[in-house]
Structures are given as C-alpha cells and as structure tokens.
Amino acid sequence: MGELKNCPSCGNLYVEHLRPVCDTCFKEEEQMFEKVFQYMRKRENRQATLFDVRQHTGVDEEKITKFIRQGRIRVVGFPNFYYPCETCEGPTQDGRLCSSCKKKIMGDLKTDEFEAKKKLVDLGRSYYTD
C-alpha cells in the first residue's frame, strides 16, 4: 500500500504508490510532455533549440530537460538542440553529462584503477618480503 505524502509540486496530500506526484500534477506534466513531443516531431522544427521549444510550447526548460533525461524525448537529429550538463551546466546533446565531464570522470576512474592496482602490487611485495 502507498504512503500518504504531500505532492512536491502543488503541496496537496496524495497516496504515493506509482508516482512521485499527485494525479493532478501528473496529468499536467503529461499535457506538457505531449505539447513538447508534438512540437518536436514536426519536420519543420528539426532546427529548433531548447529556447525555441520552450517559447513555442510554454513548457519550461527544466521540464523539457527532464523529459529528455527520462528518455521520453530524443534529440538525435536536432543539430541545434543542446541542454545543460548535470555537472557543469555546459551544453550537451547526449546523456546527462557533456563530453568534458565524461572525459574527466573516465580519467578519474583510470587514475583510481591505477592506484588500486598499485596497492595490490605493494601488498603482494610486502607479503613476500615479511
């Protein structure tokens, strides 16, 4: 059974079961999604930017970005459509992170992996020399 909570969007009480918002807010969000989806699926809007979509649909950029990050809207084939990276707020067209942040994370992972291997080698040496 669900838990009684206040909707984070409107503050009304609702039973949290399948969704993190009340039914009213869920329906409003679905209407926003439909506006954005219908606008972006038209061939003449393939050159649209995030600003253009917001301006023509009335849906704020955070909601549009949320739909993209949820995988409900794809921006492949929209050469001018960029949205903010979750880490640095820089422009990206793919995933949650821009290419700079992805490279930094991959570099950090490689450094961590190298350090871990070095520790294992040092542990092995100390085991045999003790």
Side-chain angles (χ1 to χ4, degrees):
M1 189 77 192
E3 184 179 334
L4 189 62
K5 287 193 169 189
N6 288 87
C7 176
S9 295
C10 68
N12 289 334
L13 281 174
Y14 77 106
V15 177
E16 183 182 52
H17 183 63
L18 299 175
R19 301 181 194 110
V21 295
C22 70
D23 285 342
T24 304
C25 291
F26 176 76
K27 289 174 186 172
E28 287 176 13
E29 192 169 290
E30 286 303 299
Q31 289 172 346
M32 288 185 242
F33 167 76
E34 196 59 37
K35 281 183 187 177
V36 172
F37 181 77
Q38 292 303 324
Y39 178 81
M40 292 184 73
R41 72 186 297 236
K42 293 180 182 173
R43 185 177 304 276
E44 64 265 19
N45 297 329
R46 297 289 175 176
Q47 298 298 315
T49 63
L50 179 58
F51 178 79
D52 295 334
V53 175
R54 181 187 63 79
Q55 193 172 29
H56 287 92
T57 63
V59 177
D60 67 40
E61 292 179 7
E62 288 179 13
K63 288 284 186 197
I64 298 167
T65 303
K66 178 182 174 182
F67 299 144
I68 294 166
R69 290 188 175 135
Q70 288 174 335
R72 297 179 73 190
I73 293 180
R74 301 196 58 207
V75 293
V76 174
F78 289 81
N80 301 322
F81 197 99
Y82 293 90
Y83 54 95
C85 168
E86 283 189 5
T87 302
C88 71
E89 298 287 318
T92 187
Q93 280 190 307
D94 181 36
R96 294 175 173 260
L97 304 173
C98 66
S99 58
S100 299
C101 289
K102 286 177 187 175
K103 286 178 187 174
K104 182 182 180 324
I105 289 171
M106 292 305 291
D108 291 347
L109 287 172
K110 285 181 182 179
T111 300
D112 290 348
E113 183 180 357
F114 175 77
E115 293 295 325
K117 285 181 181 179
K118 185 178 176 204
K119 284 180 183 177
L120 285 174
V121 168
D122 290 345
L123 280 172
R125 285 187 188 142
S126 67
Y127 177 78
Y128 287 110
T129 58
D130 290 343

